[in-house]
Amino acid sequence: MEEGATQQQSSAFPAPPYYFQRYTQANLALLDKAKAEPDHVDVTQATADLPFPILALEPPPPVKSGVYWLFGRPWPIQDSLMTLEEQGCEQLYPKGPIDRVKELKKLNHSAVFNFLELVHTLASSPQEFAAKVDQIRLIFINMHHILNEYRPHQARETLRLMMQEQLDKKKRETAAMRKTCADLKKQLAALRSLKQERTLSMVTDTTHIPNTYDDQPARSSTSRMSISDAGDESGSQLKDTSMSRLMKLADDIV
């Protein structure tokens, strides 16, 4: 069993763990009963027939210390950069605070020099190439380790840029919404002004209807009532037409 687990850990795409077949609906229901009534007779008898303890189906507590395995490599629980000594490699640059740009340039020159020596070794003594390859490999490991020390700074800067982009986007959206609200307020003010003008014009038209029958003194009261009714009907039609135009204008704005 341990050999199979080791093979799964070292695989690039490991298979699911063998115990995933234990999580059936019946076993999960039994687990709930065992947690609710652990001393019940039915629960005790059912768990006795299982090849594993029923409480093993409970997820383990979070790991707070040590290491975990991922793609065949151990990784510390506390996210920290392992030193070259902890990785079993020689550190070619000085310990303590360093000028990373300067040390990277030095390592780059060393890598080019060792590559030229490797070419010379392959031409003169091909059987001795392994030492030069290992030296070049060690140089690149040191360069990679120096670059990895920039990862926290890179993560902080990336997060800062993302938050700044989100802030700028929200500011642009807020400005666009305020501009739209201002335009709507202007259109509504124009609509109110138009409504007032139409109302005043209707009042003026209905109160100043010319009377062409003033020069006829012998006009009957029935004729005067018919003219008044006609004026009221004309004003009502004009009012309805204006209101319909106002409603259409409001619909166009919306």
PDB file of all heavy atoms in Angstrom, residues 87-119:
ATOM      1  N   GLN A  87      17.741  22.969   0.038  1.00  0.00           N
ATOM      2  CA  GLN A  87      17.492  22.224  -1.189  1.00  0.00           C
ATOM      3  C   GLN A  87      18.659  21.329  -1.581  1.00  0.00           C
ATOM      4  O   GLN A  87      18.576  20.593  -2.564  1.00  0.00           O
ATOM      5  CB  GLN A  87      17.196  23.199  -2.335  1.00  0.00           C
ATOM      6  CG  GLN A  87      15.977  24.061  -2.116  1.00  0.00           C
ATOM      7  CD  GLN A  87      15.747  25.034  -3.250  1.00  0.00           C
ATOM      8  OE1 GLN A  87      16.256  24.861  -4.355  1.00  0.00           O
ATOM      9  NE2 GLN A  87      14.966  26.068  -2.988  1.00  0.00           N
ATOM     10  N   GLY A  88      19.745  21.380  -0.801  1.00  0.00           N
ATOM     11  CA  GLY A  88      20.899  20.539  -1.087  1.00  0.00           C
ATOM     12  C   GLY A  88      21.773  21.062  -2.199  1.00  0.00           C
ATOM     13  O   GLY A  88      22.460  20.273  -2.876  1.00  0.00           O
ATOM     14  N   CYS A  89      21.780  22.395  -2.394  1.00  0.00           N
ATOM     15  CA  CYS A  89      22.587  23.002  -3.458  1.00  0.00           C
ATOM     16  C   CYS A  89      23.567  24.003  -2.841  1.00  0.00           C
ATOM     17  O   CYS A  89      23.319  24.582  -1.782  1.00  0.00           O
ATOM     18  CB  CYS A  89      21.698  23.720  -4.485  1.00  0.00           C
ATOM     19  SG  CYS A  89      20.542  22.638  -5.345  1.00  0.00           S
ATOM     20  N   GLU A  90      24.667  24.193  -3.522  1.00  0.00           N
ATOM     21  CA  GLU A  90      25.683  25.142  -3.075  1.00  0.00           C
ATOM     22  C   GLU A  90      25.281  26.552  -3.466  1.00  0.00           C
ATOM     23  O   GLU A  90      24.804  26.797  -4.584  1.00  0.00           O
ATOM     24  CB  GLU A  90      27.033  24.805  -3.697  1.00  0.00           C
ATOM     25  CG  GLU A  90      28.150  25.745  -3.299  1.00  0.00           C
ATOM     26  CD  GLU A  90      29.449  25.449  -4.014  1.00  0.00           C
ATOM     27  OE1 GLU A  90      29.480  24.482  -4.799  1.00  0.00           O
ATOM     28  OE2 GLU A  90      30.427  26.198  -3.791  1.00  0.00           O
ATOM     29  N   GLN A  91      25.477  27.496  -2.538  1.00  0.00           N
ATOM     30  CA  GLN A  91      25.166  28.894  -2.821  1.00  0.00           C
ATOM     31  C   GLN A  91      26.415  29.576  -3.344  1.00  0.00           C
ATOM     32  O   GLN A  91      27.430  29.652  -2.657  1.00  0.00           O
ATOM     33  CB  GLN A  91      24.654  29.597  -1.556  1.00  0.00           C
ATOM     34  CG  GLN A  91      24.247  31.048  -1.774  1.00  0.00           C
ATOM     35  CD  GLN A  91      23.550  31.646  -0.579  1.00  0.00           C
ATOM     36  OE1 GLN A  91      22.901  30.933   0.187  1.00  0.00           O
ATOM     37  NE2 GLN A  91      23.675  32.958  -0.410  1.00  0.00           N
ATOM     38  N   LEU A  92      26.349  30.087  -4.569  1.00  0.00           N
ATOM     39  CA  LEU A  92      27.507  30.672  -5.234  1.00  0.00           C
ATOM     40  C   LEU A  92      27.661  32.160  -4.952  1.00  0.00           C
ATOM     41  O   LEU A  92      28.728  32.719  -5.212  1.00  0.00           O
ATOM     42  CB  LEU A  92      27.409  30.444  -6.747  1.00  0.00           C
ATOM     43  CG  LEU A  92      27.336  28.980  -7.204  1.00  0.00           C
ATOM     44  CD1 LEU A  92      27.228  28.904  -8.721  1.00  0.00           C
ATOM     45  CD2 LEU A  92      28.545  28.185  -6.721  1.00  0.00           C
ATOM     46  N   TYR A  93      26.642  32.830  -4.470  1.00  0.00           N
ATOM     47  CA  TYR A  93      26.733  34.259  -4.182  1.00  0.00           C
ATOM     48  C   TYR A  93      26.811  34.450  -2.672  1.00  0.00           C
ATOM     49  O   TYR A  93      26.465  33.549  -1.893  1.00  0.00           O
ATOM     50  CB  TYR A  93      25.533  35.013  -4.769  1.00  0.00           C
ATOM     51  CG  TYR A  93      24.193  34.479  -4.347  1.00  0.00           C
ATOM     52  CD1 TYR A  93      23.550  34.950  -3.203  1.00  0.00           C
ATOM     53  CD2 TYR A  93      23.551  33.487  -5.089  1.00  0.00           C
ATOM     54  CE1 TYR A  93      22.324  34.462  -2.811  1.00  0.00           C
ATOM     55  CE2 TYR A  93      22.323  32.994  -4.713  1.00  0.00           C
ATOM     56  CZ  TYR A  93      21.712  33.478  -3.578  1.00  0.00           C
ATOM     57  OH  TYR A  93      20.497  32.989  -3.189  1.00  0.00           O
ATOM     58  N   PRO A  94      27.253  35.608  -2.194  1.00  0.00           N
ATOM     59  CA  PRO A  94      27.437  35.811  -0.748  1.00  0.00           C
ATOM     60  C   PRO A  94      26.121  35.734   0.010  1.00  0.00           C
ATOM     61  O   PRO A  94      25.052  36.019  -0.524  1.00  0.00           O
ATOM     62  CB  PRO A  94      28.059  37.209  -0.659  1.00  0.00           C
ATOM     63  CG  PRO A  94      28.601  37.483  -2.012  1.00  0.00           C
ATOM     64  CD  PRO A  94      27.735  36.756  -2.974  1.00  0.00           C
ATOM     65  N   LYS A  95      26.204  35.368   1.269  1.00  0.00           N
ATOM     66  CA  LYS A  95      25.031  35.332   2.134  1.00  0.00           C
ATOM     67  C   LYS A  95      24.750  36.717   2.687  1.00  0.00           C
ATOM     68  O   LYS A  95      25.619  37.575   2.744  1.00  0.00           O
ATOM     69  CB  LYS A  95      25.240  34.341   3.270  1.00  0.00           C
ATOM     70  CG  LYS A  95      25.393  32.893   2.808  1.00  0.00           C
ATOM     71  CD  LYS A  95      25.549  31.958   3.983  1.00  0.00           C
ATOM     72  CE  LYS A  95      25.683  30.504   3.517  1.00  0.00           C
ATOM     73  NZ  LYS A  95      25.834  29.571   4.654  1.00  0.00           N
ATOM     74  N   GLY A  96      23.520  36.907   3.135  1.00  0.00           N
ATOM     75  CA  GLY A  96      23.125  38.198   3.667  1.00  0.00           C
ATOM     76  C   GLY A  96      22.608  39.115   2.580  1.00  0.00           C
ATOM     77  O   GLY A  96      22.341  38.691   1.447  1.00  0.00           O
ATOM     78  N   PRO A  97      22.430  40.404   2.904  1.00  0.00           N
ATOM     79  CA  PRO A  97      21.929  41.365   1.910  1.00  0.00           C
ATOM     80  C   PRO A  97      22.894  41.490   0.734  1.00  0.00           C
ATOM     81  O   PRO A  97      24.112  41.624   0.907  1.00  0.00           O
ATOM     82  CB  PRO A  97      21.832  42.683   2.699  1.00  0.00           C
ATOM     83  CG  PRO A  97      21.791  42.270   4.140  1.00  0.00           C
ATOM     84  CD  PRO A  97      22.597  41.019   4.238  1.00  0.00           C
ATOM     85  N   ILE A  98      22.359  41.432  -0.474  1.00  0.00           N
ATOM     86  CA  ILE A  98      23.171  41.502  -1.685  1.00  0.00           C
ATOM     87  C   ILE A  98      22.491  42.426  -2.687  1.00  0.00           C
ATOM     88  O   ILE A  98      21.303  42.733  -2.579  1.00  0.00           O
ATOM     89  CB  ILE A  98      23.377  40.107  -2.318  1.00  0.00           C
ATOM     90  CG1 ILE A  98      22.015  39.489  -2.675  1.00  0.00           C
ATOM     91  CG2 ILE A  98      24.171  39.197  -1.412  1.00  0.00           C
ATOM     92  CD1 ILE A  98      22.115  38.206  -3.464  1.00  0.00           C
ATOM     93  N   ASP A  99      23.275  42.853  -3.674  1.00  0.00           N
ATOM     94  CA  ASP A  99      22.745  43.561  -4.836  1.00  0.00           C
ATOM     95  C   ASP A  99      22.365  42.503  -5.862  1.00  0.00           C
ATOM     96  O   ASP A  99      23.215  41.943  -6.549  1.00  0.00           O
ATOM     97  CB  ASP A  99      23.796  44.525  -5.390  1.00  0.00           C
ATOM     98  CG  ASP A  99      23.241  45.399  -6.504  1.00  0.00           C
ATOM     99  OD1 ASP A  99      22.089  45.152  -6.930  1.00  0.00           O
ATOM    100  OD2 ASP A  99      23.959  46.306  -6.956  1.00  0.00           O
ATOM    101  N   ARG A 100      21.078  42.215  -5.966  1.00  0.00           N
ATOM    102  CA  ARG A 100      20.633  41.098  -6.796  1.00  0.00           C
ATOM    103  C   ARG A 100      20.964  41.307  -8.272  1.00  0.00           C
ATOM    104  O   ARG A 100      21.315  40.361  -8.973  1.00  0.00           O
ATOM    105  CB  ARG A 100      19.135  40.874  -6.600  1.00  0.00           C
ATOM    106  CG  ARG A 100      18.765  40.385  -5.214  1.00  0.00           C
ATOM    107  CD  ARG A 100      17.273  40.130  -5.092  1.00  0.00           C
ATOM    108  NE  ARG A 100      16.924  39.559  -3.803  1.00  0.00           N
ATOM    109  CZ  ARG A 100      16.688  40.284  -2.705  1.00  0.00           C
ATOM    110  NH1 ARG A 100      16.785  41.612  -2.759  1.00  0.00           N
ATOM    111  NH2 ARG A 100      16.387  39.709  -1.562  1.00  0.00           N
ATOM    112  N   VAL A 101      20.849  42.538  -8.738  1.00  0.00           N
ATOM    113  CA  VAL A 101      21.163  42.800 -10.146  1.00  0.00           C
ATOM    114  C   VAL A 101      22.640  42.515 -10.420  1.00  0.00           C
ATOM    115  O   VAL A 101      22.996  41.882 -11.433  1.00  0.00           O
ATOM    116  CB  VAL A 101      20.801  44.255 -10.508  1.00  0.00           C
ATOM    117  CG1 VAL A 101      21.207  44.572 -11.935  1.00  0.00           C
ATOM    118  CG2 VAL A 101      19.314  44.500 -10.304  1.00  0.00           C
ATOM    119  N   LYS A 102      23.483  42.959  -9.528  1.00  0.00           N
ATOM    120  CA  LYS A 102      24.920  42.729  -9.695  1.00  0.00           C
ATOM    121  C   LYS A 102      25.247  41.245  -9.635  1.00  0.00           C
ATOM    122  O   LYS A 102      26.035  40.738 -10.465  1.00  0.00           O
ATOM    123  CB  LYS A 102      25.677  43.486  -8.598  1.00  0.00           C
ATOM    124  CG  LYS A 102      27.193  43.373  -8.692  1.00  0.00           C
ATOM    125  CD  LYS A 102      27.850  44.195  -7.596  1.00  0.00           C
ATOM    126  CE  LYS A 102      29.370  44.067  -7.676  1.00  0.00           C
ATOM    127  NZ  LYS A 102      30.024  44.864  -6.586  1.00  0.00           N
ATOM    128  N   GLU A 103      24.656  40.511  -8.688  1.00  0.00           N
ATOM    129  CA  GLU A 103      24.941  39.083  -8.571  1.00  0.00           C
ATOM    130  C   GLU A 103      24.377  38.307  -9.761  1.00  0.00           C
ATOM    131  O   GLU A 103      24.997  37.339 -10.222  1.00  0.00           O
ATOM    132  CB  GLU A 103      24.348  38.547  -7.267  1.00  0.00           C
ATOM    133  CG  GLU A 103      24.961  39.140  -6.012  1.00  0.00           C
ATOM    134  CD  GLU A 103      26.466  38.864  -5.911  1.00  0.00           C
ATOM    135  OE1 GLU A 103      26.912  37.813  -6.420  1.00  0.00           O
ATOM    136  OE2 GLU A 103      27.170  39.698  -5.332  1.00  0.00           O
ATOM    137  N   LEU A 104      23.241  38.714 -10.282  1.00  0.00           N
ATOM    138  CA  LEU A 104      22.694  38.043 -11.458  1.00  0.00           C
ATOM    139  C   LEU A 104      23.603  38.238 -12.673  1.00  0.00           C
ATOM    140  O   LEU A 104      23.771  37.319 -13.481  1.00  0.00           O
ATOM    141  CB  LEU A 104      21.284  38.567 -11.747  1.00  0.00           C
ATOM    142  CG  LEU A 104      20.172  38.044 -10.834  1.00  0.00           C
ATOM    143  CD1 LEU A 104      18.868  38.788 -11.110  1.00  0.00           C
ATOM    144  CD2 LEU A 104      19.964  36.537 -11.042  1.00  0.00           C
ATOM    145  N   LYS A 105      24.156  39.431 -12.809  1.00  0.00           N
ATOM    146  CA  LYS A 105      25.082  39.662 -13.917  1.00  0.00           C
ATOM    147  C   LYS A 105      26.336  38.790 -13.776  1.00  0.00           C
ATOM    148  O   LYS A 105      26.825  38.227 -14.762  1.00  0.00           O
ATOM    149  CB  LYS A 105      25.472  41.139 -13.973  1.00  0.00           C
ATOM    150  CG  LYS A 105      24.352  42.054 -14.441  1.00  0.00           C
ATOM    151  CD  LYS A 105      24.818  43.502 -14.509  1.00  0.00           C
ATOM    152  CE  LYS A 105      23.707  44.406 -15.031  1.00  0.00           C
ATOM    153  NZ  LYS A 105      24.142  45.833 -15.092  1.00  0.00           N
ATOM    154  N   LYS A 106      26.836  38.659 -12.550  1.00  0.00           N
ATOM    155  CA  LYS A 106      27.998  37.799 -12.324  1.00  0.00           C
ATOM    156  C   LYS A 106      27.683  36.352 -12.686  1.00  0.00           C
ATOM    157  O   LYS A 106      28.474  35.681 -13.365  1.00  0.00           O
ATOM    158  CB  LYS A 106      28.439  37.894 -10.864  1.00  0.00           C
ATOM    159  CG  LYS A 106      29.109  39.200 -10.474  1.00  0.00           C
ATOM    160  CD  LYS A 106      29.538  39.146  -9.019  1.00  0.00           C
ATOM    161  CE  LYS A 106      30.216  40.425  -8.587  1.00  0.00           C
ATOM    162  NZ  LYS A 106      30.645  40.375  -7.151  1.00  0.00           N
ATOM    163  N   LEU A 107      26.544  35.867 -12.223  1.00  0.00           N
ATOM    164  CA  LEU A 107      26.174  34.494 -12.528  1.00  0.00           C
ATOM    165  C   LEU A 107      25.939  34.295 -14.027  1.00  0.00           C
ATOM    166  O   LEU A 107      26.253  33.228 -14.574  1.00  0.00           O
ATOM    167  CB  LEU A 107      24.921  34.106 -11.737  1.00  0.00           C
ATOM    168  CG  LEU A 107      25.093  34.002 -10.220  1.00  0.00           C
ATOM    169  CD1 LEU A 107      23.737  33.810  -9.541  1.00  0.00           C
ATOM    170  CD2 LEU A 107      26.021  32.838  -9.861  1.00  0.00           C
ATOM    171  N   ASN A 108      25.419  35.311 -14.681  1.00  0.00           N
ATOM    172  CA  ASN A 108      25.212  35.211 -16.122  1.00  0.00           C
ATOM    173  C   ASN A 108      26.552  35.097 -16.850  1.00  0.00           C
ATOM    174  O   ASN A 108      26.704  34.286 -17.777  1.00  0.00           O
ATOM    175  CB  ASN A 108      24.434  36.427 -16.613  1.00  0.00           C
ATOM    176  CG  ASN A 108      24.038  36.308 -18.062  1.00  0.00           C
ATOM    177  OD1 ASN A 108      23.742  35.220 -18.543  1.00  0.00           O
ATOM    178  ND2 ASN A 108      24.042  37.419 -18.775  1.00  0.00           N
ATOM    179  N   HIS A 109      27.527  35.909 -16.440  1.00  0.00           N
ATOM    180  CA  HIS A 109      28.860  35.814 -17.043  1.00  0.00           C
ATOM    181  C   HIS A 109      29.477  34.450 -16.778  1.00  0.00           C
ATOM    182  O   HIS A 109      30.130  33.860 -17.668  1.00  0.00           O
ATOM    183  CB  HIS A 109      29.760  36.920 -16.500  1.00  0.00           C
ATOM    184  CG  HIS A 109      29.319  38.289 -16.924  1.00  0.00           C
ATOM    185  ND1 HIS A 109      29.734  39.447 -16.288  1.00  0.00           N
ATOM    186  CD2 HIS A 109      28.488  38.703 -17.917  1.00  0.00           C
ATOM    187  CE1 HIS A 109      29.182  40.490 -16.869  1.00  0.00           C
ATOM    188  NE2 HIS A 109      28.426  40.064 -17.856  1.00  0.00           N
ATOM    189  N   SER A 110      29.281  33.929 -15.554  1.00  0.00           N
ATOM    190  CA  SER A 110      29.819  32.602 -15.233  1.00  0.00           C
ATOM    191  C   SER A 110      29.158  31.525 -16.084  1.00  0.00           C
ATOM    192  O   SER A 110      29.822  30.581 -16.528  1.00  0.00           O
ATOM    193  CB  SER A 110      29.605  32.298 -13.751  1.00  0.00           C
ATOM    194  OG  SER A 110      30.276  33.233 -12.934  1.00  0.00           O
ATOM    195  N   ALA A 111      27.847  31.663 -16.330  1.00  0.00           N
ATOM    196  CA  ALA A 111      27.160  30.676 -17.155  1.00  0.00           C
ATOM    197  C   ALA A 111      27.688  30.700 -18.585  1.00  0.00           C
ATOM    198  O   ALA A 111      27.919  29.638 -19.201  1.00  0.00           O
ATOM    199  CB  ALA A 111      25.653  30.945 -17.142  1.00  0.00           C
ATOM    200  N   VAL A 112      27.934  31.891 -19.133  1.00  0.00           N
ATOM    201  CA  VAL A 112      28.476  31.984 -20.495  1.00  0.00           C
ATOM    202  C   VAL A 112      29.894  31.405 -20.550  1.00  0.00           C
ATOM    203  O   VAL A 112      30.249  30.665 -21.484  1.00  0.00           O
ATOM    204  CB  VAL A 112      28.459  33.451 -20.960  1.00  0.00           C
ATOM    205  CG1 VAL A 112      29.157  33.596 -22.309  1.00  0.00           C
ATOM    206  CG2 VAL A 112      27.021  33.960 -21.052  1.00  0.00           C
ATOM    207  N   PHE A 113      30.721  31.732 -19.544  1.00  0.00           N
ATOM    208  CA  PHE A 113      32.094  31.214 -19.511  1.00  0.00           C
ATOM    209  C   PHE A 113      32.100  29.687 -19.406  1.00  0.00           C
ATOM    210  O   PHE A 113      32.858  29.010 -20.113  1.00  0.00           O
ATOM    211  CB  PHE A 113      32.842  31.840 -18.338  1.00  0.00           C
ATOM    212  CG  PHE A 113      34.240  31.343 -18.188  1.00  0.00           C
ATOM    213  CD1 PHE A 113      35.242  31.773 -19.039  1.00  0.00           C
ATOM    214  CD2 PHE A 113      34.569  30.426 -17.183  1.00  0.00           C
ATOM    215  CE1 PHE A 113      36.544  31.306 -18.910  1.00  0.00           C
ATOM    216  CE2 PHE A 113      35.857  29.956 -17.044  1.00  0.00           C
ATOM    217  CZ  PHE A 113      36.854  30.399 -17.912  1.00  0.00           C
ATOM    218  N   ASN A 114      31.262  29.142 -18.541  1.00  0.00           N
ATOM    219  CA  ASN A 114      31.203  27.683 -18.402  1.00  0.00           C
ATOM    220  C   ASN A 114      30.649  27.015 -19.659  1.00  0.00           C
ATOM    221  O   ASN A 114      31.037  25.890 -19.981  1.00  0.00           O
ATOM    222  CB  ASN A 114      30.350  27.305 -17.196  1.00  0.00           C
ATOM    223  CG  ASN A 114      31.114  27.407 -15.890  1.00  0.00           C
ATOM    224  OD1 ASN A 114      31.777  26.460 -15.454  1.00  0.00           O
ATOM    225  ND2 ASN A 114      31.039  28.570 -15.264  1.00  0.00           N
ATOM    226  N   PHE A 115      29.774  27.686 -20.368  1.00  0.00           N
ATOM    227  CA  PHE A 115      29.279  27.120 -21.619  1.00  0.00           C
ATOM    228  C   PHE A 115      30.405  27.042 -22.657  1.00  0.00           C
ATOM    229  O   PHE A 115      30.524  26.053 -23.388  1.00  0.00           O
ATOM    230  CB  PHE A 115      28.120  27.963 -22.148  1.00  0.00           C
ATOM    231  CG  PHE A 115      27.600  27.485 -23.463  1.00  0.00           C
ATOM    232  CD1 PHE A 115      26.796  26.361 -23.546  1.00  0.00           C
ATOM    233  CD2 PHE A 115      27.917  28.171 -24.635  1.00  0.00           C
ATOM    234  CE1 PHE A 115      26.325  25.911 -24.769  1.00  0.00           C
ATOM    235  CE2 PHE A 115      27.437  27.728 -25.855  1.00  0.00           C
ATOM    236  CZ  PHE A 115      26.642  26.596 -25.926  1.00  0.00           C
ATOM    237  N   LEU A 116      31.221  28.102 -22.716  1.00  0.00           N
ATOM    238  CA  LEU A 116      32.354  28.063 -23.639  1.00  0.00           C
ATOM    239  C   LEU A 116      33.331  26.952 -23.255  1.00  0.00           C
ATOM    240  O   LEU A 116      33.878  26.245 -24.131  1.00  0.00           O
ATOM    241  CB  LEU A 116      33.061  29.417 -23.655  1.00  0.00           C
ATOM    242  CG  LEU A 116      32.236  30.594 -24.215  1.00  0.00           C
ATOM    243  CD1 LEU A 116      33.017  31.899 -24.087  1.00  0.00           C
ATOM    244  CD2 LEU A 116      31.857  30.333 -25.666  1.00  0.00           C
ATOM    245  N   GLU A 117      33.551  26.796 -21.950  1.00  0.00           N
ATOM    246  CA  GLU A 117      34.417  25.704 -21.512  1.00  0.00           C
ATOM    247  C   GLU A 117      33.794  24.338 -21.834  1.00  0.00           C
ATOM    248  O   GLU A 117      34.510  23.383 -22.160  1.00  0.00           O
ATOM    249  CB  GLU A 117      34.690  25.810 -20.017  1.00  0.00           C
ATOM    250  CG  GLU A 117      35.669  26.922 -19.650  1.00  0.00           C
ATOM    251  CD  GLU A 117      36.126  26.811 -18.206  1.00  0.00           C
ATOM    252  OE1 GLU A 117      35.449  26.083 -17.432  1.00  0.00           O
ATOM    253  OE2 GLU A 117      37.139  27.443 -17.853  1.00  0.00           O
ATOM    254  N   LEU A 118      32.475  24.242 -21.740  1.00  0.00           N
ATOM    255  CA  LEU A 118      31.815  22.991 -22.097  1.00  0.00           C
ATOM    256  C   LEU A 118      32.018  22.670 -23.575  1.00  0.00           C
ATOM    257  O   LEU A 118      32.270  21.515 -23.941  1.00  0.00           O
ATOM    258  CB  LEU A 118      30.322  23.089 -21.776  1.00  0.00           C
ATOM    259  CG  LEU A 118      29.448  21.918 -22.217  1.00  0.00           C
ATOM    260  CD1 LEU A 118      29.885  20.621 -21.526  1.00  0.00           C
ATOM    261  CD2 LEU A 118      27.975  22.203 -21.936  1.00  0.00           C
ATOM    262  N   VAL A 119      31.929  23.688 -24.429  1.00  0.00           N
ATOM    263  CA  VAL A 119      32.160  23.464 -25.861  1.00  0.00           C
ATOM    264  C   VAL A 119      33.597  23.004 -26.097  1.00  0.00           C
ATOM    265  O   VAL A 119      33.857  22.077 -26.887  1.00  0.00           O
ATOM    266  CB  VAL A 119      31.856  24.755 -26.648  1.00  0.00           C
ATOM    267  CG1 VAL A 119      32.245  24.595 -28.120  1.00  0.00           C
ATOM    268  CG2 VAL A 119      30.374  25.104 -26.534  1.00  0.00           C
TER     269      VAL A 119
END
